[in-house]
Amino acid sequence: MKILTLDKIYTPDVLDAQKERYAKAAAEFEKLYGEKPQYFFSAPGRTEVGGNHTDHNLGCVLAAGVSLDIIAAVSPADDNVITVKSEGFPEDKLSADDTDVKQSELNTSASLIRGMAAGFAKNGHKTGGFKAYTTSSVLKGSGLSSSAAFEVLIGTILNGLYNNGEVSDVEIAQLSQYAENVYFGKPSGLMDQMASSVGGFITIDFGDKDNPVIKSIDFDFAKSGHSLCIVDTKGSHADLTPEYAAIPPEMKSVAKFFGKEVLREITKEQVLENIAALREKCGDRAVLRALHFFDDNARVAKQAAALEAGDFDTFLTLVTESGNSSLAYLQNIFAASNVNEQGLTVALYIAKQILDGEGACRVHGGGFAGTIQAFVPDHKLDSFKSGIERAFGEGSCYVLSIRNCGGTKVIL
């Protein structure tokens, strides 16, 4: 488990603001619970850079932790009760011993807390009570995965308070996925949780789902001459769970045609050789989504190789290819159930107009609503930001840095 000081987590330009943020969280904790917090923890949001909707079919992804995070002021509790008050939300209070799935808690933060406690117990780890006050800079419904950051935060707290920090980052990510799938009720893959828990630029190969292969990428993005921008189109992910939930089974239906469970077990050549029968059996969208899987899965290794070789131009070309594949074949840029709301498509058009052949842009995260990602040349950053905010409002363009650590205990 990582234990880091503020200056090892945050960049110098935001350090003073972060010190103030932690001090405010401590004050809010004391106001709530009548005592000073004993510990602080942090977990970052994440950005998906390559491999859009490939993880749930045991593919590969390129991802990174980002500078937006959820922090918690925490003290252990003797009564085995977990109490979490998140800024702007009602307090959650539950017993760490009660690990039954509650239908009434589906799609709530309480389900994630209960799911993490249940996962720790299921895997033979210790659990216990604690009091926490959390505050988040991770945009909710943004594609930066605020839910994964919250899950990893709860896991990091349980790890730090009751397990001597011995639960690995990888296992915390796996338990976070368990909490989201089983207790929250969202059939997500593992990429969000893994990127948040591990941090930095990483590739993840999910070929062996129980032992994903994680590789850190040695690349200094600060020297690329580009900025990473996340554009918040102000579209919410609320009520879009059916859209996300349709993608994994559609892809898997193509694998099942060949007697396999996931697309990683078959080849693109098999799909192309049997495309007429597949179109009839599975439908065109499922076939197109499968073809996207194969191409975007292969792109991840190419992107990683380009970064490691310092060939940023090739990397940007691959980002553009990934975005085009998501638009045309994965079809997760807008919800078919609501064609009047296409903020992502509008954002991609505006971004491409401003970039004018430079940089790259693509859908970010799960898609359908929320955010796009853009790699913007530094000399175009001001015009990009102003052009985007003209369309989506002030503060809609976030200029981020890559965070080199995942879930961590924080020393002030």
Side-chain angles (χ1 to χ4, degrees):
M1 179 180 179
K2 293 176 284 291
I3 303 175
L4 299 171
T5 54
L6 291 176
D7 62 322
K8 298 297 183 182
I9 301 171
Y10 304 102
T11 54
D13 57 312
V14 300
L15 195 54
D16 287 343
Q18 291 296 338
K19 289 178 181 177
E20 185 177 329
R21 181 183 177 214
Y22 277 81
K24 182 180 177 183
E28 290 294 330
F29 180 97
E30 188 170 3
K31 193 184 302 182
L32 277 170
Y33 303 118
E35 60 179 275
K36 294 183 183 297
Q38 296 181 33
Y39 305 103
F40 296 89
F41 297 87
S42 164
R46 68 96 180 101
T47 182
E48 171 207 280
V49 183
N52 195 208
H53 278 283
T54 53
D55 57 335
H56 45 65
N57 269 257
L58 304 189
C60 301
V61 298
L62 173 64
V66 298
S67 49
L68 302 180
D69 65 346
I70 304 179
I71 66 170
V74 178
S75 286
D78 296 331
D79 56 7
N80 239 29
V81 172
I82 297 175
T83 306
V84 178
K85 175 66 174 78
S86 296
E87 182 181 20
F89 295 92
E91 181 180 82
D92 291 314
K93 193 168 187 176
L94 54 93
S95 170
D97 295 325
D98 184 359
T99 57
D100 293 337
V101 176
K102 313 288 185 186
Q103 291 299 312
S104 61
E105 288 180 351
L106 287 176
N107 298 298
T108 68
S109 54
S111 70
L112 296 177
I113 299 167
R114 195 181 303 279
M116 290 306 297
F120 266 67
K122 175 178 71 75
N123 279 19
H125 304 306
K126 295 178 181 177
T127 62
F130 62 84
K131 295 172 284 188
Y133 174 80
T134 81
T135 180
S136 176
S137 61
V138 183
L139 301 170
K140 189 173 176 61
S142 66
L144 293 169
S145 202
S146 57
S147 60
F150 184 77
E151 295 151 13
V152 169
L153 180 72
I154 298 300
T156 304
I157 292 170
L158 289 171
N159 192 22
L161 294 184
Y162 296 109
N163 293 276
N164 298 315
E166 294 173 359
V167 184
S168 72
D169 294 341
V170 170
E171 188 176 358
I172 287 177
Q174 292 169 328
L175 294 176
S176 297
Q177 184 198 21
Y178 169 77
E180 186 156 321
N181 290 174
V182 177
Y183 285 76
F184 186 82
K186 183 178 179 181
S188 68
L190 184 58
M191 188 268 285
D192 295 351
Q193 293 84 357
M194 195 69 74
S196 177
S197 188
V198 176
F201 267 118
I202 57 171
T203 57
I204 313 167
D205 184 339
F206 294 105
D208 180 347
K209 64 181 178 180
D210 295 322
N211 298 286
V213 178
I214 302 159
K215 180 182 176 183
S216 294
I217 304 299
D218 184 15
F219 179 77
D220 187 355
F221 181 73
K223 296 179 180 178
S224 69
H226 290 69
S227 295
L228 170 62
C229 293
I230 300 297
V231 175
D232 179 15
T233 66
K234 309 299 174 68
S236 174
H237 284 181
D239 303 321
L240 290 175
T241 295
E243 296 282 356
Y244 303 117
I247 295 177
E250 285 188 18
M251 287 184 175
K252 289 175 182 178
S253 71
V254 175
K256 286 178 182 177
F257 179 89
F258 298 96
K260 303 296 183 180
E261 291 188 10
V262 293
L263 291 175
R264 189 66 182 271
E265 297 177 300
I266 65 172
T267 66
K268 182 169 76 169
E269 289 68 31
Q270 286 177 286
V271 172
L272 293 173
E273 287 170 3
N274 294 273
I275 196 163
L278 282 165
R279 290 182 63 201
E280 183 177 351
K281 176 76 172 178
C282 305
D284 284 347
R285 191 171 72 169
V287 173
L288 289 168
R289 285 175 163 173
L291 292 171
H292 161 83
F293 168 88
F294 294 116
D295 290 347
D296 225 34
N297 190 55
R299 261 188 289 269
V300 169
K302 296 175 184 176
Q303 286 177 302
L307 288 175
E308 288 175 330
D311 186 355
F312 201 66
D313 288 340
T314 295
F315 167 77
L316 291 174
T317 297
L318 292 164
V319 170
T320 298
E321 288 179 6
S322 176
N324 291 341
S325 181
S326 292
L327 177 63
Y329 310 126
L330 181 58
Q331 299 178 29
N332 68 331
I333 308 302
F334 64 90
S337 58
N338 184 12
V339 295
N340 289 323
E341 185 177 327
Q342 298 193 36
L344 296 183
T345 320
V346 174
L348 289 169
Y349 183 89
I350 293 171
K352 289 180 180 179
Q353 289 290 300
I354 299 170
L355 292 173
D356 192 23
E358 297 184 78
C361 61
R362 67 192 283 271
V363 65
H364 182 247
F368 299 110
T371 58
I372 69 164
Q373 174 191 81
F375 293 91
V376 181
D378 289 339
H379 70 90
K380 285 192 170 181
L381 184 58
D382 290 342
S383 61
F384 184 87
K385 196 170 188 295
S386 62
I388 287 294
E389 295 189 344
R390 190 179 304 118
F392 298 102
E394 187 176 351
S396 57
C397 182
Y398 290 80
V399 183
L400 307 183
S401 59
I402 300 301
R403 168 165 154 161
N404 291 324
C405 64
T408 183
K409 184 178 178 181
V410 182
I411 303 298
L412 300 187

